[in-house]
Amino acid sequence: MMNIILFGPPGAGKGTQAERLVAERSMVHLSTGDMLRAEIASNSQLGMRAKQVMDSGKLVSDDIMIKMIESRMADDAAKFGVILDGFPRTVNQAVALDEMLLGNNMAIDHAIEICVDEEALFGRIEHRASQSVQVRDDDNAEVLKQRLKVYHDNTAPVLPFYRNKAVLTQVDGMMEIELVAKKISEVLDS
Ligand code: AMP
C-alpha cells in the first residue's frame, strides 16, 4: 500500500497525472480542490464561503482543509493507498497530515514535485486570454498570478519537509504527458 503526494504549481498537470495513476493502480485520488468544488456545487455553507477565497486565488483556512481531508484520509489510505493532489498546501497542513498518518502507522512513501517552466505556463494562459472575447479569461490570468504567488509563498516551503524525509523526487513536467507519467511510475516502482 502506497501513499503519495503530487506537488506542483497550478497548471503543472497534477490532476491529469493523478487520474492516470488511478487508472493504472488501484489507488484513490484525493483532490481537496475537487472536494471544495463539490461543496460549492451542493450550495453548502462551507462551499459558499470557500468559493470567494478560491475565486481570489487564495487558500482556504488550514482548519477547514485539515478536517476535510481527515474524514477521507485514514480509511482510503489504509484500504487503497491515496494520491494526494492539492494537499498539503502549507507547512501546517503537512504537519497535521503526518500526525494523521502516524496515528495509523502509515507514512507518505513518495512526494513528487512536478516542475514546470512558469514563464511558459503563464505565457500560454495570457495568450489564451488575449485571444478570447470573454472578459472573464482576463480574470483567470490575474488569478493564476495570485495562485502562483501563493504556491511560492506557502506551498514551496512544504517541499523541504519531504526532502528531509528522503521521499521527495522532482519530475520534469514540461515533457509530454506520457513521458511525465512514465517518470512518475518509475519513481513509484523504485
Ligand atoms: P486546486 O483545484 O487544487 O487548484 O484548488 C483550487 C482552489 O481550492 C485553490 O486555489 C484554493 O483556493 C483551494 N484549495 C484547494 N486545496 C487547498 C488546500 N489544501 N488548502 C487551502 N486551499 C485549498
Side-chain angles (χ1 to χ4, degrees), residues 20-21 86 103 113 118 140 145-146 152:
R20 290 192 59 122
L21 286 170
E113 181 189 2
E118 286 176 21
N140 288 344
K145 210 181 282 178
Q146 174 62 31
H152 289 294

Side-chain angles (χ1 to χ4, degrees), residues 46-120:
L46 168 61
M48 287 190 288
R49 253 182 291 146
K51 188 178 186 318
Q52 286 188 322
V53 180
M54 290 165 78
D55 284 351
S56 72
K58 303 228 168 85
L59 292 181
V60 175
S61 80
D62 284 339
D63 276 1
I64 291 176
M65 298 317 300
I66 290 164
K67 267 191 214 117
M68 187 171 276
I69 203 88
E70 216 164 17
S71 62
R72 296 282 304 275
M73 188 62 202
D75 271 5
D76 288 346
K79 275 192 220 134
F80 313 103
V82 290
I83 305 156
L84 292 173
D85 158 15
F87 186 96
R89 258 181 162 92
T90 65
V91 172
N92 273 342
Q93 291 180 15
V95 170
L97 172 64
D98 228 38
E99 282 167 9
M100 263 179 245
L101 288 166
L102 215 72
N104 291 286
N105 259 317
M106 290 185 288
I108 293 300
D109 299 284
H110 292 283
I112 311 260
E113 181 189 2
I114 304 177
C115 303
V116 293
D117 176 352
E118 286 176 21
E119 294 284 311

Side-chain angles (χ1 to χ4, degrees), residues 4 6 13-29 83 85 114 176-185 188:
I4 71 170
L6 297 180
K14 297 186 294 290
T16 305
Q17 294 299 332
E19 275 163 30
R20 290 192 59 122
L21 286 170
V22 168
E24 285 163 15
R25 302 162 188 253
S26 29
M27 297 173 80
V28 170
H29 178 197
I83 305 156
D85 158 15
I114 304 177
E176 296 286 323
I177 290 174
E178 301 288 324
L179 273 177
V180 177
K182 187 161 169 274
K183 285 282 171 204
I184 292 175
S185 272
L188 302 193

